Amino acid sequence: MQIPLGVATVIAVAYLGYVWLARRSATEHYEARTKLAEPTEDQKAKFSDTYGGSAVKILQFYARDGAVTEDQGTVMCYGVLNAKSVRVEPPVADFYPALNRCIDISPKHDTKYVMTAVGGDGKTATAEFTVAVRGDAARGDTARLPRITDFHVSKHTVEDGRHYVTLSFAFENASKVMMEPPVVPALEDSAPFGQWTVTPEKTTTYTLIVMDKKGHKASKQLTVEVPGK
């Protein structure tokens, strides 16, 4: 069946009107949802205090973690405004002016970081924070620390009035072995067990010390009796 031309025209106009109204409604709805609220005077003042003017300012300077364990790093974050140059002590590689930036740091001991930003007029701004570094023992990881598992007299003989004493020892998680008093040289990268012969002239207390590459130590004492002396 053929629709009269006049009716077709009315239908077409009505359809176009419907599409226009639908699109206008959708646009107005979207604009209403996305329109930003006018900032308050207090917000404007805070923004001006922070970002206004030409003075150099440190916007942020902090570490992600206030304390770390040995061999674990953290992240330093910083941001500056109107800075011609920045520096940090102790020095950190690839440190340059940025509004918002984070970089990796790996302090080996308790470290205070001090940041200095220099403006175009030569004036400076500073900020600081401290990262504490805890040893393995602080996190209960004592299994990784040096320890002495054995230290005893394995042989004691007397020849021509002179005492010869063999001290046997064993240890774990250490690379250096020392004795006090220092009757024998310290051993580097030693096997985890061994023997030393000493010749005390009187009753003497010997201290065995073992150390790992991080400087952690363990010690144990042993007294060798020399009768009458």
Side-chain angles (χ1 to χ4, degrees):
M1 176 178 121
Q2 185 174 3
I3 300 174
L5 179 59
V7 175
T9 301
V10 171
I11 293 175
V13 170
Y15 174 76
L16 291 175
Y18 170 78
V19 171
W20 181 83
L21 287 174
R23 289 181 177 177
R24 179 179 177 82
S25 176
T27 300
E28 290 176 347
H29 179 68
Y30 175 79
E31 290 176 347
R33 292 185 57 187
T34 59
K35 183 179 181 180
L36 295 176
E38 182 69 18
T40 65
E41 292 303 319
D42 184 56
Q43 290 173 327
K44 290 179 180 179
K46 289 181 179 179
F47 185 88
S48 178
D49 288 343
T50 302
Y51 296 98
S54 59
V56 61
K57 297 175 184 177
I58 295 177
L59 303 177
Q60 59 181 335
F61 184 54
Y62 65 92
R64 181 190 62 198
D65 306 288
V68 297
T69 54
E70 290 178 331
D71 297 331
Q72 292 184 340
T74 184
V75 174
M76 169 193 292
C77 295
Y78 68 95
V80 292
L81 188 68
N82 302 322
K84 180 178 66 175
S85 64
V86 292
R87 64 180 183 273
V88 63
E89 294 293 338
V92 175
D94 200 26
F95 195 77
Y96 55 80
L99 278 175
N100 185 12
R101 186 165 180 266
C102 295
I103 54 179
D104 294 328
I105 55 174
S106 299
K108 303 303 180 185
H109 48 76
D110 290 1
T111 303
K112 180 171 74 172
Y113 292 90
V114 180
M115 175 182 177
T116 302
V118 182
D121 55 3
K123 294 183 179 180
T124 62
T126 61
E128 64 182 50
F129 65 80
T130 298
V131 176
V133 179
R134 301 167 178 165
D136 292 330
R139 62 178 177 178
D141 195 5
T142 57
R144 295 176 56 186
L145 296 176
R147 63 176 177 268
I148 296 170
T149 57
D150 182 40
F151 186 37
H152 72 280
V153 175
S154 57
K155 187 177 182 182
H156 187 167
T157 60
V158 180
E159 298 179 16
D160 299 327
R162 190 174 183 86
H163 292 260
Y164 294 88
V165 181
T166 301
L167 306 178
S168 297
F169 60 86
F171 61 89
E172 296 177 351
N173 305 323
S175 58
K176 186 175 183 179
V177 187
M178 300 166 283
M179 182 81 76
E180 292 182 358
V183 292
V184 290
L187 298 178
E188 297 279 359
D189 297 320
S190 169
F193 55 85
Q195 293 180 334
W196 273 326
T197 298
V198 296
T199 56
E201 297 180 355
K202 60 181 180 179
T203 298
T204 304
T205 297
Y206 294 93
T207 302
L208 179 69
I209 303 169
V210 297
M211 181 187 304
D212 65 13
K213 294 186 182 299
K214 299 177 185 177
H216 297 137
K217 294 181 180 179
S219 64
K220 194 170 186 178
Q221 291 186 323
L222 180 64
T223 297
V224 175
E225 298 285 344
V226 176
K229 296 182 180 180

